[in-house]
Amino acid sequence: MKINLTLVRHGQSEGNVDESVYYTKPDHKIDLTPLGETQATEIGQRLNKLYPLMVKNTLVYSPWTRAKRTANLIAEEMFLLNFKEDPLIHEISIVNSFNCMETKEDFESEEKSEFSQYWHKTGTSENYSDVYQRARIFYQDIVMNRYKLNDGDNLIVVSHGVFLLMLRGVIHNTSVEDILEERWLKNCQTE
């Protein structure tokens, strides 16, 4: 079976323009900016032209607010009825409370590059390997046809930078070194 897989990174988020928002709002609740909403609407319009209504279009999205909002705006533009949240495809979990914000700072510090950006893990956060494992399970779900797709159907995945990077690594069976050399998708960029 051959399906068309489109990866979409969420639109511009509050955290993309002001990192201080991470100190006042949990990462999973960070929303889109007005520009992010415009980006999501525009990508939905583009995908609507690319994927005709006669073909089954399925949209799967991360449960985190910015990805969910992006997916909803895309679904509106594509007149989609078939879209589903998947808890596997969220962004890398760096912290789970405001008290752990120093973990986020540790994650972004130069120390991680000495140890390894891929394997570095602090406290309750995930490392890239953890996200890779989630991406691999998600990809297995696609291969095992969890979404009940038929030959020629379109699957649109709306997620986050690190998850999409790891998912591409899984799909292409890429080495750790090569995954870390890959380019990141920009906000509302597709692949």
Side-chain angles (χ1 to χ4, degrees), residues 67-122:
K68 183 185 273 190
R69 181 74 179 125
T70 300
N72 284 322
L73 290 166
I74 290 171
E76 284 176 20
E77 293 301 320
M78 294 184 70
F79 308 101
L80 288 179
L81 300 175
N82 195 13
F83 54 105
K84 178 179 175 45
E85 182 177 292
D86 191 317
L88 279 176
I89 66 175
H90 64 81
E91 181 58 293
I92 189 168
S93 294
I94 298 175
V95 297
N96 65 2
S97 72
F98 297 128
N99 296 334
C100 297
M101 280 313 294
E102 61 273 5
T103 303
K104 181 173 178 15
E105 291 165 4
D106 281 347
F107 184 82
E108 294 175 344
S109 75
E110 290 183 25
E111 288 178 29
K112 75 167 187 279
S113 62
E114 290 175 22
F115 181 75
S116 166
Q117 182 177 8
Y118 186 84
W119 300 108
H120 179 78
K121 186 172 184 173
T122 305

Side-chain angles (χ1 to χ4, degrees), residues 126-179:
E126 287 184 302
N127 61 23
Y128 282 11
S129 178
D130 296 325
V131 180
Y132 182 92
Q133 290 172 48
R134 285 193 287 109
R136 191 167 178 178
I137 293 167
F138 176 71
Y139 187 65
Q140 288 171 345
D141 284 349
I142 294 171
V143 170
M144 293 173 65
N145 204 11
R146 176 177 172 212
Y147 297 104
K148 312 242 184 303
L149 302 170
N150 296 311
D151 200 37
D153 287 353
N154 303 308
L155 179 62
I156 302 160
V157 177
V158 179
S159 188
H160 308 264
V162 175
F163 182 84
L164 293 173
L165 188 70
M166 295 302 132
L167 181 57
R168 287 175 14 207
V170 168
I171 291 168
H172 301 298
N173 197 23
T174 308
S175 71
V176 170
E177 294 80 19
D178 289 342
I179 287 172

